[in-house]
Amino acid sequence: MQLVGSKASQRLDEIGEGSVTLLPIEPEDMWHANNLIGAEDIVKAHAIRKVTTESKTGSTMSERVHTDLTIRVTSTFFDPGASQLHVSGTVIVENNFVSLGQYHTLDLELNRAFTLWKKYGWDSVARETLSDALKQDKEGAVAAVVMQEGVANICLITEYRTILKQRVESTIPKKRSSSTEQDSGMKRFFDKTLSTLMRSIDFSIPRPLLLASPGFVAGDFKKYISDEGARRADKKMMAMAKEATVVHSSSGHLHSLNEILKSSEVTATMKDMKFSKETRFMDDFFDKLRKDDGRAWYGTVPVEKAVKEGAVGRGGGILLINNSLFRSQEIATRRRYVAMVDKVKEDGGEARILSSDHESGQRLDALGGIAALLTYPMLDLDDDEDEEDADGQADTEENMI
């Protein structure tokens, strides 16, 4: 993503209440744009509009025209597979082709700029999201094949999300069949998986490759890649095999990816990548939660109370929060979470905004989307929740009486 126009020379903390014009240049940028654009924001972008005109004789003619539209956003839809972002809303600036109040969906495109106004200004979380989008030194995405006999899931793990590129399925003769039939079935499966892998992911850019499976399937597939590379004299394929890391997993299905990212082989080679750090944070949180010593809490009310008390500050305090919570259409709700992030940073703690499109974010989502590791133990932080529930129940009973 690139910042264009007069704001390109500004520091991010100087943007304030104004607009920014952004140029998405790669598919990952659409994911960032989806996190930046919220309900009630204003977006101006290129659009293709179907216009119907009527001639003097009464006949009608339809044509598609190119124009720029400015809309007030009501919703967004992001297609992770195609990396396409559709932004819907009502037109607030009329032109020759559209009237005020008409509904339109903008399809944001790569290499075509759009302008964004944040209705409630650029708070700290919005500026951090924009900063992430503008990073030029992005870490390379990791290719992964999670497989078992007859099934392979080909994934691309970027810094912010996991994308399932293709799923390969092939029939393998059962073990009671002759070994020749089974060998030939595995060869067909490996050949299909390799060709799909090469087609789905660009290996002209050097990137790590993870091969994971129960048993020896991943190891055999790595040997197959190496042998095919030597047979075809394909240097790219031979380099792929050399750099590939074989990891054990409990199954060949996509949910095993979280288990794979925690393995010692993966953490050793990719310890500095964002998603690997987030996986470690979630593991640390669950370890402390099992100890039940008052230093690990989850849920909005307990975590907010700990933050206000300064318990998520300097000396190991970590706030873990899902980016989906900042997409709330209730501005008061968004500001509540932004205030927690700001307070933790002010107290010297670490605030980590996890992606709900990564396994670590999905684990956090199961806890309500927010959790914290405290610098010192605090007990009974969830008493307020119980009291609120009891008060609400008492009010209900009183009203019934």
Side-chain angles (χ1 to χ4, degrees):
M1 189 89 79
Q2 292 179 353
L3 192 63
V4 297
S6 59
K7 293 285 175 68
S9 59
Q10 272 191 284
R11 297 206 320 266
L12 291 181
D13 56 4
E14 296 173 344
I15 287 176
E17 302 297 313
S19 65
V20 295
T21 300
L22 299 167
L23 180 68
I25 54 178
E26 56 184 49
E28 184 84 359
D29 292 339
M30 291 303 183
W31 183 88
H32 288 293
N34 183 50
N35 285 319
L36 277 171
I37 300 171
E40 298 295 313
D41 291 347
I42 295 170
V43 174
K44 179 182 179 182
H46 171 266
I48 300 175
R49 184 85 178 177
K50 184 179 179 181
V51 177
T52 303
T53 55
E54 186 174 345
S55 67
K56 293 179 180 179
T57 60
S59 61
T60 58
M61 181 179 69
S62 296
E63 62 175 332
R64 292 185 176 274
V65 296
H66 292 259
T67 184
D68 287 335
L69 290 183
T70 305
I71 66 171
R72 187 179 304 281
V73 178
T74 56
S75 64
T76 62
F77 175 75
F78 177 64
D79 181 347
S83 292
Q84 294 178 341
L85 178 59
H86 311 286
V87 183
S88 302
T90 52
V91 175
I92 61 169
V93 177
E94 63 181 346
N95 60 25
N96 295 331
F97 308 111
V98 294
S99 304
L100 286 176
Q102 282 189 286
Y103 191 82
H104 187 84
T105 298
L106 295 170
D107 299 322
L108 300 189
E109 304 173 52
L110 293 178
N111 300 308
R112 198 183 287 273
F114 68 92
T115 303
L116 171 65
W117 289 263
K118 298 292 292 178
K119 179 174 181 181
Y120 300 104
W122 291 85
D123 56 41
S124 61
V125 172
R127 287 198 300 271
E128 184 176 340
T129 304
L130 180 59
S131 175
D132 286 340
L134 296 175
K135 279 182 184 175
Q136 296 298 315
D137 56 341
K138 293 179 180 176
E139 296 162 299
V142 176
V145 183
V146 187
M147 60 198 312
Q148 61 188 39
E149 287 191 2
V151 177
N153 293 284
I154 298 171
C155 312
L156 193 63
I157 309 169
T158 74
E159 192 174 0
Y160 299 97
R161 60 194 179 116
T162 300
I163 309 162
L164 176 62
K165 301 294 286 186
Q166 290 288 342
R167 179 179 170 87
V168 177
E169 294 185 2
S170 181
T171 303
I172 308 292
K174 298 189 183 297
K175 294 188 184 292
R176 62 175 174 268
S177 305
S178 69
S179 60
T180 307
E181 287 180 355
Q182 191 175 22
D183 289 346
S184 121
M186 287 299 291
K187 185 178 182 305
R188 283 195 306 272
F189 170 55
F190 284 162
D191 183 63
K192 187 177 180 181
T193 302
L194 178 58
S195 61
T196 306
L197 176 64
M198 299 293 289
R199 193 170 58 248
S200 304
I201 296 177
D202 181 12
F203 282 96
S204 61
I205 305 166
R207 67 174 82 249
L209 173 62
L210 303 179
L211 304 176
S213 75
F216 302 101
V217 178
D220 291 345
F221 182 56
K222 177 178 179 178
K223 183 177 184 305
Y224 179 82
I225 297 173
S226 178
D227 292 346
E228 278 296 291
R231 186 179 69 81
R232 302 181 194 179
D234 188 326
K235 292 183 179 179
K236 186 198 299 184
M237 204 174 285
M238 287 189 285
M240 276 173 57
K242 186 177 180 181
E243 296 299 322
T245 302
V246 175
V247 186
H248 178 269
S249 65
S250 56
S251 80
H253 298 290
L254 201 57
H255 62 75
S256 296
L257 204 52
N258 182 59
E259 166 195 346
I260 294 159
L261 294 176
K262 291 194 295 184
S263 68
S264 56
E265 299 95 330
V266 175
T267 53
T269 54
M270 285 165 284
K271 60 183 178 181
D272 295 325
M273 295 195 74
K274 186 176 187 290
F275 64 78
S276 185
K277 290 178 181 176
E278 291 176 353
T279 300
R280 292 201 301 275
F281 281 134
M282 288 305 301
D283 289 343
D284 290 345
F285 174 80
F286 280 109
D287 286 344
K288 287 185 171 60
L289 189 63
R290 279 190 288 271
K291 291 178 182 176
D292 195 21
D293 61 357
R295 292 188 60 192
W297 287 92
Y298 63 90
T300 301
V301 173
V303 170
E304 186 175 37
K305 187 173 180 181
V307 169
K308 286 180 178 177
E309 293 289 332
V312 194
R314 188 174 288 104
I318 300 173
L319 175 68
L320 303 170
I321 187 166
N322 244 350
N323 62 358
S324 58
L325 296 180
F326 298 104
R327 297 191 60 79
S328 172
Q329 295 190 14
E330 296 290 333
I331 184 60
T333 302
R334 178 186 169 90
R335 283 178 175 166
R336 183 182 187 183
Y337 292 119
V338 171
M340 281 192 252
V341 171
D342 291 343
K343 179 71 166 64
V344 168
K345 290 180 178 178
E346 182 185 323
D347 291 343
E350 187 171 1
R352 302 289 298 198
I353 300 174
L354 275 59
S355 168
S356 53
D357 294 317
H358 254 311
E359 284 66 33
S360 53
Q362 289 161 12
R363 293 167 73 192
L364 182 59
D365 194 45
L367 301 175
I370 185 168
L373 291 168
L374 279 52
T375 54
Y376 54 85
M378 292 187 74
L379 304 176
D380 304 325
L381 286 177
D382 50 358
D383 280 356
D384 286 352
E385 283 185 309
D386 296 337
E387 289 170 12
E388 286 176 12
D389 292 343
D391 290 344
Q393 187 175 354
D395 290 342
T396 305
E397 289 174 356
E398 186 178 333
N399 291 335
M400 289 174 66
I401 293 170

